[in-house]
Amino acid sequence: MTTDWHQLHRTPQLSGLYWRAATRRKITGTQLPNDGLRSWVEVDARNVTSYRKVCGFPDSALLPPTYPHVLAFALQMQLLTGKDFPFPLLGLVHLANRIRVIRPLGGISRVQVSVHVQNLQPHAKGATFDLVTSLEDALGPLWQAESQMLCKGVKLDGEPAEPLPQATLALDELTRWWAPADIGRQYARVSGDYNPIHLSAASARLFGFPKAIAHGLWLKARVMAALSGHLPGSGFEIAVQFKKPVRLPSEVILQSSAAGSQGDVQLLGHGDLEHMRGTWQALP
């Protein structure tokens, strides 16, 4: 599928996009749009500092490797609430995320962000697609990510893909931390992601959750901050699958293989409840 790129001259306003998301509740088709969105985005140093604090990243000359998701969030929202997008944004489930850090994310004040969707596939509970996000500067590509999203209730021909293999390397506990009841609100303030299922028990119950649950991308950011001594500074990718949600508040336990050019990672709750599993490896 060839992407039809549209260059935006300013970052979309989130308030209107949230209203559009709240008023669209029906599946309107089974074809992904060919449109992609691009925009130059300024990096807000104060927001980066706040993001580091919320996600556990130390001070550094490099952007946190998960921060480009924040730079891209408004563009992603505009794409996923567009008239041609067939699935309602509220109710989409984030199943997996892969990040590639192609070059060091240092000395960045302005970048071009690009977003599009691809790879519509059948799933046992509906259909999945990939939300693809890229960053580049004047020298070329810096960073790329794919978020696999599930829309329940969609009917597609074909068989669901086989599940990914389990981790194979020996894992040891690296650290554990407490996810407080208000971490969803803290993360929303630095990321712009005010999905009601993350904000409070009262708002989460409106969508069938007994308690608020942690943002998947906050969990991945917190994991990558803890893995900073295990991962290269650039030239690597880390892919995770989100499993059982982290109900707030709760303690989580991070297990990891040894530092190196490749490795496995797992995030558990008490009673070995699996919240996340993943792998990292150097880029070829």
Side-chain angles (χ1 to χ4, degrees), residues 34-101:
N34 294 334
D35 293 339
L37 302 178
R38 284 177 171 155
S39 180
W40 286 94
V41 177
E42 305 289 336
V43 177
D44 184 338
R46 289 178 297 179
N47 187 254
V48 174
T49 298
S50 298
Y51 180 89
R52 290 186 192 280
K53 182 177 180 181
V54 170
C55 298
F57 287 101
D59 289 338
S60 171
L62 303 177
L63 283 181
T66 49
Y67 189 75
H69 280 295
V70 176
L71 299 175
F73 184 67
L75 279 182
Q76 293 171 346
M77 284 281 289
Q78 176 142 328
L79 184 68
L80 297 181
T81 58
K83 292 181 179 179
D84 293 337
F85 189 74
F87 310 138
L89 178 59
L90 290 179
L92 292 180
V93 180
H94 196 175
L95 296 183
N97 176 266
R98 180 188 304 273
I99 286 174
R100 296 181 186 90
V101 182

Side-chain angles (χ1 to χ4, degrees), residues 176-233:
R176 59 178 65 198
W177 67 85
W178 182 254
D182 68 341
I183 194 61
R185 297 189 294 277
Q186 291 186 48
Y187 185 76
R189 285 192 288 270
V190 297
S191 69
D193 186 353
Y194 283 89
N195 188 324
I197 64 175
H198 304 303
L199 303 182
S200 70
S203 59
R205 281 195 291 269
L206 297 175
F207 295 87
F209 294 90
K211 292 184 176 182
I213 62 173
H215 290 79
L217 287 176
W218 174 76
L219 290 171
K220 185 168 185 179
R222 190 68 180 81
V223 164
M224 291 190 69
L227 288 173
S228 59
H230 285 56
L231 302 173

Side-chain angles (χ1 to χ4, degrees), residues 10-20 74-75 77-78 81:
R10 61 181 179 180
T11 303
Q13 294 295 312
L14 284 173
S15 56
L17 298 177
Y18 272 114
W19 174 253
R20 192 186 298 176
L75 279 182
M77 284 281 289
Q78 176 142 328
T81 58

